[in-house]
Short mmCIF file of all heavy atoms in Angstrom, two decimals:
data_model
loop_
_atom_site.label_atom_id
_atom_site.label_comp_id
_atom_site.label_asym_id
_atom_site.label_seq_id
_atom_site.Cartn_x
_atom_site.Cartn_y
_atom_site.Cartn_z
N MET A 1 0.82 -1.20 0.00
CA MET A 1 0.00 0.00 0.00
C MET A 1 0.86 1.27 0.00
O MET A 1 0.58 2.22 -0.71
CB MET A 1 -0.91 0.03 1.24
CG MET A 1 -2.05 -0.96 1.22
SD MET A 1 -3.48 -0.31 0.35
CE MET A 1 -4.76 -1.38 1.03
N LYS A 2 1.93 1.24 0.80
CA LYS A 2 2.65 2.48 1.11
C LYS A 2 3.93 2.69 0.32
O LYS A 2 4.42 3.82 0.21
CB LYS A 2 2.99 2.51 2.60
CG LYS A 2 1.77 2.52 3.51
CD LYS A 2 2.16 2.39 4.97
CE LYS A 2 0.93 2.36 5.87
NZ LYS A 2 1.31 2.18 7.30
N ASN A 3 4.51 1.63 -0.24
CA ASN A 3 5.85 1.71 -0.79
C ASN A 3 5.87 1.44 -2.29
O ASN A 3 5.74 0.29 -2.73
CB ASN A 3 6.75 0.71 -0.05
CG ASN A 3 8.22 0.90 -0.34
OD1 ASN A 3 8.62 1.10 -1.48
ND2 ASN A 3 9.04 0.83 0.70
N ALA A 4 6.03 2.50 -3.09
CA ALA A 4 6.02 2.36 -4.55
C ALA A 4 7.18 1.50 -5.04
O ALA A 4 7.03 0.72 -5.98
CB ALA A 4 6.07 3.74 -5.20
N ARG A 5 8.34 1.66 -4.41
CA ARG A 5 9.50 0.86 -4.82
C ARG A 5 9.24 -0.62 -4.60
O ARG A 5 9.59 -1.46 -5.43
CB ARG A 5 10.74 1.29 -4.03
CG ARG A 5 12.00 0.49 -4.39
CD ARG A 5 13.19 0.99 -3.64
NE ARG A 5 13.56 2.34 -4.04
CZ ARG A 5 14.58 3.03 -3.52
NH1 ARG A 5 15.33 2.47 -2.58
NH2 ARG A 5 14.85 4.24 -3.94
N PHE A 6 8.61 -0.97 -3.48
CA PHE A 6 8.29 -2.36 -3.19
C PHE A 6 7.27 -2.88 -4.20
O PHE A 6 7.36 -4.02 -4.66
CB PHE A 6 7.75 -2.49 -1.77
CG PHE A 6 7.53 -3.91 -1.31
CD1 PHE A 6 8.58 -4.82 -1.25
CD2 PHE A 6 6.25 -4.34 -0.96
CE1 PHE A 6 8.37 -6.13 -0.84
CE2 PHE A 6 6.03 -5.65 -0.55
CZ PHE A 6 7.10 -6.55 -0.49
N ARG A 7 6.29 -2.05 -4.57
CA ARG A 7 5.32 -2.47 -5.59
C ARG A 7 6.02 -2.79 -6.90
O ARG A 7 5.71 -3.79 -7.55
CB ARG A 7 4.27 -1.36 -5.80
CG ARG A 7 3.30 -1.20 -4.66
CD ARG A 7 2.11 -0.34 -5.05
NE ARG A 7 2.42 1.06 -5.28
CZ ARG A 7 2.37 2.01 -4.35
NH1 ARG A 7 2.04 1.72 -3.11
NH2 ARG A 7 2.64 3.26 -4.66
N ARG A 8 6.94 -1.93 -7.31
CA ARG A 8 7.66 -2.18 -8.56
C ARG A 8 8.51 -3.44 -8.46
O ARG A 8 8.58 -4.23 -9.41
CB ARG A 8 8.54 -0.97 -8.91
CG ARG A 8 7.76 0.25 -9.37
CD ARG A 8 8.68 1.29 -9.98
NE ARG A 8 9.60 1.84 -9.01
CZ ARG A 8 9.35 2.89 -8.24
NH1 ARG A 8 8.19 3.51 -8.30
NH2 ARG A 8 10.26 3.35 -7.38
N GLN A 9 9.15 -3.64 -7.32
CA GLN A 9 9.98 -4.82 -7.10
C GLN A 9 9.15 -6.10 -7.20
O GLN A 9 9.57 -7.08 -7.82
CB GLN A 9 10.64 -4.72 -5.73
CG GLN A 9 11.44 -5.95 -5.32
CD GLN A 9 11.93 -5.82 -3.88
OE1 GLN A 9 12.42 -4.78 -3.47
NE2 GLN A 9 11.76 -6.88 -3.11
N GLU A 10 7.98 -6.08 -6.60
CA GLU A 10 7.11 -7.25 -6.57
C GLU A 10 6.19 -7.33 -7.79
O GLU A 10 5.54 -8.36 -8.00
CB GLU A 10 6.25 -7.23 -5.30
CG GLU A 10 7.05 -7.30 -4.01
CD GLU A 10 7.78 -8.63 -3.87
OE1 GLU A 10 7.10 -9.67 -3.91
OE2 GLU A 10 9.03 -8.60 -3.71
N GLN A 11 6.13 -6.25 -8.58
CA GLN A 11 5.21 -6.17 -9.72
C GLN A 11 3.79 -6.50 -9.27
O GLN A 11 3.05 -7.26 -9.93
CB GLN A 11 5.66 -7.10 -10.84
CG GLN A 11 6.89 -6.61 -11.61
CD GLN A 11 6.60 -5.32 -12.38
OE1 GLN A 11 5.86 -5.32 -13.37
NE2 GLN A 11 7.17 -4.21 -11.93
N ALA A 12 3.41 -5.93 -8.13
CA ALA A 12 2.10 -6.20 -7.54
C ALA A 12 1.59 -4.95 -6.85
O ALA A 12 2.36 -4.06 -6.47
CB ALA A 12 2.20 -7.36 -6.55
N PHE A 13 0.27 -4.87 -6.68
CA PHE A 13 -0.34 -3.75 -5.98
C PHE A 13 -1.63 -4.24 -5.33
O PHE A 13 -2.00 -5.42 -5.46
CB PHE A 13 -0.61 -2.59 -6.93
CG PHE A 13 -1.61 -2.87 -8.03
CD1 PHE A 13 -2.90 -2.33 -7.99
CD2 PHE A 13 -1.28 -3.67 -9.13
CE1 PHE A 13 -3.82 -2.58 -9.00
CE2 PHE A 13 -2.20 -3.92 -10.14
CZ PHE A 13 -3.47 -3.37 -10.07
N ILE A 14 -2.31 -3.34 -4.61
CA ILE A 14 -3.49 -3.70 -3.85
C ILE A 14 -4.73 -3.00 -4.40
O ILE A 14 -4.69 -1.81 -4.72
CB ILE A 14 -3.33 -3.32 -2.36
CG1 ILE A 14 -2.08 -3.97 -1.76
CG2 ILE A 14 -4.58 -3.71 -1.55
CD1 ILE A 14 -2.06 -5.48 -1.83
N VAL A 15 -5.82 -3.75 -4.53
CA VAL A 15 -7.12 -3.16 -4.85
C VAL A 15 -8.08 -3.46 -3.71
O VAL A 15 -7.96 -4.48 -3.04
CB VAL A 15 -7.70 -3.67 -6.19
CG1 VAL A 15 -6.74 -3.40 -7.34
CG2 VAL A 15 -8.03 -5.17 -6.11
N GLU A 16 -9.01 -2.54 -3.50
CA GLU A 16 -10.02 -2.70 -2.45
C GLU A 16 -11.42 -2.65 -3.04
O GLU A 16 -11.65 -1.96 -4.04
CB GLU A 16 -9.89 -1.60 -1.41
CG GLU A 16 -8.63 -1.66 -0.57
CD GLU A 16 -8.70 -0.68 0.60
OE1 GLU A 16 -9.60 -0.81 1.45
OE2 GLU A 16 -7.83 0.22 0.64
N GLY A 17 -12.35 -3.35 -2.40
CA GLY A 17 -13.75 -3.30 -2.80
C GLY A 17 -14.12 -4.39 -3.79
O GLY A 17 -13.27 -4.93 -4.51
N TRP A 18 -15.41 -4.71 -3.84
CA TRP A 18 -15.90 -5.79 -4.70
C TRP A 18 -15.70 -5.51 -6.18
O TRP A 18 -15.30 -6.39 -6.94
CB TRP A 18 -17.39 -6.05 -4.41
CG TRP A 18 -17.64 -6.54 -3.02
CD1 TRP A 18 -18.15 -5.83 -1.97
CD2 TRP A 18 -17.39 -7.85 -2.51
NE1 TRP A 18 -18.22 -6.61 -0.84
CE2 TRP A 18 -17.77 -7.87 -1.15
CE3 TRP A 18 -16.88 -9.03 -3.08
CZ2 TRP A 18 -17.65 -9.00 -0.35
CZ3 TRP A 18 -16.76 -10.16 -2.28
CH2 TRP A 18 -17.14 -10.15 -0.93
N LYS A 19 -15.96 -4.27 -6.60
CA LYS A 19 -15.85 -3.95 -8.04
C LYS A 19 -14.42 -4.14 -8.54
O LYS A 19 -14.19 -4.78 -9.57
CB LYS A 19 -16.32 -2.52 -8.31
CG LYS A 19 -16.11 -2.08 -9.76
CD LYS A 19 -16.62 -0.67 -10.02
CE LYS A 19 -16.20 -0.16 -11.39
NZ LYS A 19 -16.47 -1.08 -12.50
N MET A 20 -13.46 -3.56 -7.81
CA MET A 20 -12.08 -3.65 -8.26
C MET A 20 -11.56 -5.08 -8.17
O MET A 20 -10.80 -5.54 -9.03
CB MET A 20 -11.20 -2.71 -7.44
CG MET A 20 -11.49 -1.23 -7.68
SD MET A 20 -11.13 -0.70 -9.37
CE MET A 20 -9.34 -0.63 -9.33
N ALA A 21 -11.97 -5.80 -7.12
CA ALA A 21 -11.56 -7.21 -7.01
C ALA A 21 -12.13 -8.02 -8.17
O ALA A 21 -11.43 -8.88 -8.75
CB ALA A 21 -12.02 -7.78 -5.67
N ASP A 22 -13.39 -7.75 -8.53
CA ASP A 22 -14.00 -8.44 -9.68
C ASP A 22 -13.21 -8.19 -10.96
O ASP A 22 -12.96 -9.10 -11.76
CB ASP A 22 -15.45 -7.98 -9.88
CG ASP A 22 -16.40 -8.56 -8.85
OD1 ASP A 22 -15.98 -9.44 -8.07
OD2 ASP A 22 -17.57 -8.13 -8.83
N GLU A 23 -12.84 -6.91 -11.18
CA GLU A 23 -12.10 -6.55 -12.39
C GLU A 23 -10.80 -7.35 -12.48
O GLU A 23 -10.41 -7.81 -13.56
CB GLU A 23 -11.77 -5.05 -12.37
CG GLU A 23 -12.97 -4.13 -12.50
CD GLU A 23 -13.39 -3.92 -13.94
OE1 GLU A 23 -12.79 -4.52 -14.84
OE2 GLU A 23 -14.33 -3.13 -14.16
N ALA A 24 -10.12 -7.50 -11.35
CA ALA A 24 -8.85 -8.22 -11.33
C ALA A 24 -9.06 -9.72 -11.46
O ALA A 24 -8.30 -10.42 -12.14
CB ALA A 24 -8.09 -7.89 -10.05
N LEU A 25 -10.11 -10.24 -10.83
CA LEU A 25 -10.38 -11.68 -10.88
C LEU A 25 -10.69 -12.16 -12.29
O LEU A 25 -10.17 -13.19 -12.73
CB LEU A 25 -11.55 -12.02 -9.94
CG LEU A 25 -11.22 -12.11 -8.45
CD1 LEU A 25 -12.51 -12.11 -7.63
CD2 LEU A 25 -10.39 -13.36 -8.15
N VAL A 26 -11.53 -11.43 -13.00
CA VAL A 26 -11.92 -11.88 -14.35
C VAL A 26 -10.74 -11.84 -15.31
O VAL A 26 -10.77 -12.48 -16.36
CB VAL A 26 -13.10 -11.05 -14.91
CG1 VAL A 26 -14.33 -11.22 -14.05
CG2 VAL A 26 -12.74 -9.58 -15.06
N ARG A 27 -9.68 -11.08 -14.96
CA ARG A 27 -8.50 -11.01 -15.82
C ARG A 27 -7.39 -11.95 -15.34
O ARG A 27 -6.30 -11.95 -15.91
CB ARG A 27 -8.00 -9.57 -15.89
CG ARG A 27 -8.92 -8.67 -16.69
CD ARG A 27 -8.65 -7.19 -16.50
NE ARG A 27 -9.50 -6.41 -17.39
CZ ARG A 27 -10.78 -6.16 -17.17
NH1 ARG A 27 -11.37 -6.61 -16.07
NH2 ARG A 27 -11.49 -5.43 -18.02
N GLY A 28 -7.66 -12.70 -14.30
CA GLY A 28 -6.67 -13.65 -13.80
C GLY A 28 -5.45 -13.01 -13.19
O GLY A 28 -4.36 -13.61 -13.19
N LEU A 29 -5.60 -11.81 -12.63
CA LEU A 29 -4.46 -11.08 -12.08
C LEU A 29 -4.34 -11.17 -10.57
O LEU A 29 -3.35 -10.70 -10.00
CB LEU A 29 -4.56 -9.59 -12.48
CG LEU A 29 -4.44 -9.28 -13.97
CD1 LEU A 29 -4.72 -7.80 -14.22
CD2 LEU A 29 -3.05 -9.64 -14.48
N VAL A 30 -5.33 -11.75 -9.90
CA VAL A 30 -5.32 -11.79 -8.44
C VAL A 30 -4.34 -12.85 -7.93
O VAL A 30 -4.40 -14.02 -8.33
CB VAL A 30 -6.73 -12.06 -7.88
CG1 VAL A 30 -6.68 -12.26 -6.36
CG2 VAL A 30 -7.66 -10.90 -8.21
N LYS A 31 -3.45 -12.43 -7.03
CA LYS A 31 -2.49 -13.35 -6.43
C LYS A 31 -3.02 -13.91 -5.11
O LYS A 31 -2.75 -15.06 -4.75
CB LYS A 31 -1.16 -12.62 -6.18
CG LYS A 31 -0.54 -12.07 -7.45
CD LYS A 31 0.73 -11.29 -7.16
CE LYS A 31 1.88 -12.21 -6.80
NZ LYS A 31 3.16 -11.47 -6.71
N SER A 32 -3.78 -13.09 -4.36
CA SER A 32 -4.39 -13.56 -3.12
C SER A 32 -5.51 -12.60 -2.73
O SER A 32 -5.46 -11.41 -3.05
CB SER A 32 -3.36 -13.67 -1.99
OG SER A 32 -2.68 -12.45 -1.80
N LEU A 33 -6.53 -13.15 -2.05
CA LEU A 33 -7.68 -12.38 -1.60
C LEU A 33 -7.71 -12.34 -0.08
O LEU A 33 -7.35 -13.33 0.59
CB LEU A 33 -8.98 -13.01 -2.09
CG LEU A 33 -9.48 -12.69 -3.49
CD1 LEU A 33 -10.70 -13.56 -3.81
CD2 LEU A 33 -9.84 -11.22 -3.64
N TYR A 34 -8.18 -11.22 0.45
CA TYR A 34 -8.34 -11.07 1.90
C TYR A 34 -9.76 -10.60 2.19
O TYR A 34 -10.23 -9.60 1.62
CB TYR A 34 -7.33 -10.06 2.44
CG TYR A 34 -5.90 -10.52 2.29
CD1 TYR A 34 -5.21 -10.35 1.09
CD2 TYR A 34 -5.25 -11.17 3.33
CE1 TYR A 34 -3.91 -10.80 0.93
CE2 TYR A 34 -3.94 -11.63 3.18
CZ TYR A 34 -3.29 -11.44 1.99
OH TYR A 34 -1.99 -11.90 1.82
N LEU A 35 -10.46 -11.35 3.05
CA LEU A 35 -11.84 -11.04 3.40
C LEU A 35 -11.94 -10.77 4.90
O LEU A 35 -11.34 -11.50 5.71
CB LEU A 35 -12.76 -12.22 3.06
CG LEU A 35 -12.82 -12.69 1.60
CD1 LEU A 35 -13.60 -13.99 1.53
CD2 LEU A 35 -13.46 -11.63 0.73
N SER A 36 -12.71 -9.76 5.26
CA SER A 36 -13.00 -9.56 6.68
C SER A 36 -14.01 -10.61 7.13
O SER A 36 -14.69 -11.24 6.30
CB SER A 36 -13.56 -8.15 6.93
OG SER A 36 -14.84 -8.03 6.34
N GLU A 37 -14.13 -10.79 8.43
CA GLU A 37 -15.09 -11.76 8.96
C GLU A 37 -16.50 -11.51 8.42
O GLU A 37 -17.19 -12.43 7.98
CB GLU A 37 -15.14 -11.67 10.49
CG GLU A 37 -13.89 -12.13 11.20
CD GLU A 37 -13.98 -11.88 12.68
OE1 GLU A 37 -13.59 -10.77 13.11
OE2 GLU A 37 -14.45 -12.78 13.41
N ARG A 38 -16.92 -10.25 8.45
CA ARG A 38 -18.30 -9.94 8.05
C ARG A 38 -18.52 -10.08 6.54
O ARG A 38 -19.66 -10.18 6.09
CB ARG A 38 -18.69 -8.53 8.51
CG ARG A 38 -17.90 -7.40 7.88
CD ARG A 38 -18.34 -6.05 8.42
NE ARG A 38 -17.55 -4.96 7.87
CZ ARG A 38 -17.78 -4.40 6.70
NH1 ARG A 38 -18.79 -4.82 5.95
NH2 ARG A 38 -17.02 -3.40 6.26
N ALA A 39 -17.44 -10.09 5.75
CA ALA A 39 -17.58 -10.21 4.30
C ALA A 39 -17.52 -11.66 3.83
O ALA A 39 -17.81 -11.94 2.66
CB ALA A 39 -16.50 -9.40 3.59
N GLU A 40 -17.18 -12.58 4.72
CA GLU A 40 -17.02 -13.97 4.32
C GLU A 40 -18.33 -14.55 3.77
O GLU A 40 -18.35 -15.26 2.77
CB GLU A 40 -16.54 -14.81 5.50
CG GLU A 40 -16.19 -16.25 5.13
CD GLU A 40 -15.64 -17.04 6.30
OE1 GLU A 40 -15.58 -16.50 7.42
OE2 GLU A 40 -15.26 -18.19 6.08
N GLY A 41 -19.46 -14.21 4.42
CA GLY A 41 -20.75 -14.71 3.96
C GLY A 41 -21.10 -14.19 2.58
O GLY A 41 -21.62 -14.94 1.73
N GLU A 42 -20.81 -12.93 2.32
CA GLU A 42 -21.08 -12.34 1.01
C GLU A 42 -20.25 -13.04 -0.07
O GLU A 42 -20.74 -13.31 -1.18
CB GLU A 42 -20.75 -10.84 1.02
CG GLU A 42 -20.82 -10.12 -0.32
CD GLU A 42 -22.22 -10.09 -0.90
OE1 GLU A 42 -23.20 -10.25 -0.13
OE2 GLU A 42 -22.35 -9.89 -2.12
N TYR A 43 -19.01 -13.35 0.26
CA TYR A 43 -18.14 -14.02 -0.70
C TYR A 43 -18.69 -15.42 -1.05
O TYR A 43 -18.68 -15.83 -2.21
CB TYR A 43 -16.73 -14.13 -0.14
CG TYR A 43 -15.72 -14.72 -1.11
CD1 TYR A 43 -15.24 -13.96 -2.17
CD2 TYR A 43 -15.25 -16.02 -0.95
CE1 TYR A 43 -14.31 -14.49 -3.06
CE2 TYR A 43 -14.33 -16.55 -1.83
CZ TYR A 43 -13.86 -15.78 -2.89
OH TYR A 43 -12.96 -16.31 -3.77
N THR A 44 -19.18 -16.12 -0.03
CA THR A 44 -19.76 -17.44 -0.24
C THR A 44 -20.98 -17.35 -1.16
O THR A 44 -21.16 -18.18 -2.07
CB THR A 44 -20.16 -18.08 1.10
OG1 THR A 44 -18.99 -18.20 1.92
CG2 THR A 44 -20.77 -19.46 0.89
N LYS A 45 -21.81 -16.34 -0.95
CA LYS A 45 -22.99 -16.14 -1.81
C LYS A 45 -22.56 -15.89 -3.26
O LYS A 45 -23.18 -16.38 -4.20
CB LYS A 45 -23.81 -14.96 -1.31
CG LYS A 45 -24.53 -15.20 -0.01
CD LYS A 45 -25.30 -13.95 0.40
CE LYS A 45 -25.97 -14.12 1.76
NZ LYS A 45 -26.66 -12.88 2.19
N ARG A 46 -21.49 -15.13 -3.43
CA ARG A 46 -21.01 -14.83 -4.78
C ARG A 46 -20.51 -16.10 -5.47
O ARG A 46 -20.72 -16.29 -6.66
CB ARG A 46 -19.90 -13.77 -4.72
CG ARG A 46 -20.40 -12.40 -4.28
CD ARG A 46 -19.24 -11.45 -3.99
NE ARG A 46 -18.56 -11.05 -5.20
CZ ARG A 46 -18.93 -10.05 -5.99
NH1 ARG A 46 -20.01 -9.35 -5.69
NH2 ARG A 46 -18.25 -9.75 -7.07
#
């Protein structure tokens, strides 16, 4: 989130929210997902 040099080194960045996560998922770009406790049920429904 905070370090541009680290993002370039890892060739990775962070997106937040369902819309942006969807955009990345459909393009096969997601390396890992993080869900809060309260969002786990919504993810299961999806």
Side-chain angles (χ1 to χ4, degrees):
M1 288 275 200
K2 298 174 182 177
N3 192 316
R5 179 177 293 179
F6 186 61
R7 289 194 291 269
R8 289 192 294 272
Q9 175 186 315
E10 297 295 303
Q11 287 294 291
F13 64 106
I14 303 301
V15 302
E16 292 190 61
W18 296 104
K19 175 178 170 50
M20 293 296 285
D22 285 352
E23 293 277 2
L25 281 166
V26 298
R27 289 166 175 78
L29 294 173
V30 173
K31 301 177 74 172
S32 55
L33 277 174
Y34 295 83
L35 301 171
S36 68
E37 292 175 272
R38 64 181 177 82
E40 187 177 3
E42 173 65 21
Y43 185 74
T44 300
K45 290 179 184 177
R46 292 170 71 85

